[in-house]
Amino acid sequence: RPYDAPLAAPVALRALPDPEKLNFNALSERLRQANPQIFVEQARVISAEKSRDLVYKNRYPDFTVGISAMQRQNAVNEWGVMLELNIPIQRDVLRAQERESEAMLSAALSRQQAATNQALADLSENLSALEAARQTEHLMTYSLMPQADLTWRAALAGYENGKADFATLLDAQRQTRQARLSQLKAQVEAQLRLAEIE
C-alpha cells in the first residue's frame, strides 16, 4: 500500500474479544515467549554467561603448539616445532575479572527480570483498562443513554406543550450528546487498550 494512499472510510469499530479470551495467565505466557524486549535481555544474559565462562577458563594454563616447514628453493629442508606455555600467575587480576563477570551476569539477569516485570505490568494495566472501558461503555449504552434519551423526550414534550423553555430542551439534548460522546470515548479507549495488548 502506498504511504499516501487514502484510508478506507471507517464503517464500525471491530468487536472486542470475549473476556475469557483475554486471560492474564495465557497472555502472560504468550508474552514471555514472544516479547522482543524480553528476547533482547535473554540474549544479554546468554552473552554475560559466555563471558563468565571465558573468564573462568583463564584459570588454566594455555598451551600452543605449532609446526612450520622451512623451504629453500623448491624443497622443504627443515621442520620447526614450537611449544608455548602461558601460565596465569596474577591470581588477583583473575579473581577481579571473575567477580566482574559474575556481577555482569547478575546485572543482566536483573535487567531481564525487570523487562519481564515491566511487560507483565503493562499487560495487566492494559487488561484492567480494557475491562474498565468495556464496563463504561456498557453503563453508557444501557443506563445513561436511555436515561438521557428519556430526559430529552420529556423536555421536547414539555416544550411542545409550553411547560418547558427552550434552554431546558437544549440542556437535555446536550446531555444526550454528552452520553453518546462518553460512549464513543469508552469504545475508542477499549480499542486502544486492545491494540496495546496485541
Side-chain angles (χ1 to χ4, degrees), residues 10-140:
V11 178
L13 293 173
R14 65 181 172 164
L16 294 175
D18 293 333
E20 295 82 28
K21 290 184 179 179
L22 297 176
N23 182 2
F24 178 77
N25 293 330
L27 289 176
S28 64
E29 189 59 37
R30 285 182 58 195
L31 181 136
R32 284 186 177 95
Q33 294 173 358
N35 189 290
Q37 286 89 5
I38 294 175
F39 287 163
V40 167
E41 296 304 330
Q42 284 175 348
R44 288 183 180 156
V45 167
I46 291 170
S47 173
E49 286 173 346
K50 299 297 182 188
S51 296
R52 181 197 60 186
D53 293 344
L54 285 175
V55 167
Y56 277 117
K57 287 185 179 183
N58 284 339
R59 289 180 175 181
Y60 306 109
D62 289 334
F63 295 98
T64 305
V65 177
I67 299 175
S68 61
M70 306 285 188
Q71 180 179 357
R72 290 189 190 148
Q73 295 175 355
N74 293 334
V76 175
N77 296 341
E78 298 177 14
W79 291 89
V81 178
M82 177 188 70
L83 176 63
E84 182 181 325
L85 177 62
N86 188 359
I87 301 173
I89 297 175
Q90 298 174 337
R91 293 290 181 190
D92 293 339
V93 173
L94 289 174
R95 297 295 179 249
Q97 289 174 348
E98 290 170 2
R99 285 192 302 273
E100 178 189 16
S101 67
E102 289 291 343
M104 296 296 279
L105 177 59
S106 176
L109 287 169
S110 295
R111 282 192 301 270
Q112 179 188 16
Q113 187 62 43
T116 303
N117 289 343
Q118 183 62 47
L120 289 173
D122 291 344
L123 175 64
S124 177
E125 175 188 351
N126 286 320
L127 283 173
S128 297
L130 175 65
E131 187 57 34
R134 187 191 309 258
Q135 290 176 0
T136 301
E137 179 193 3
H138 183 65
L139 177 69
M140 291 296 163

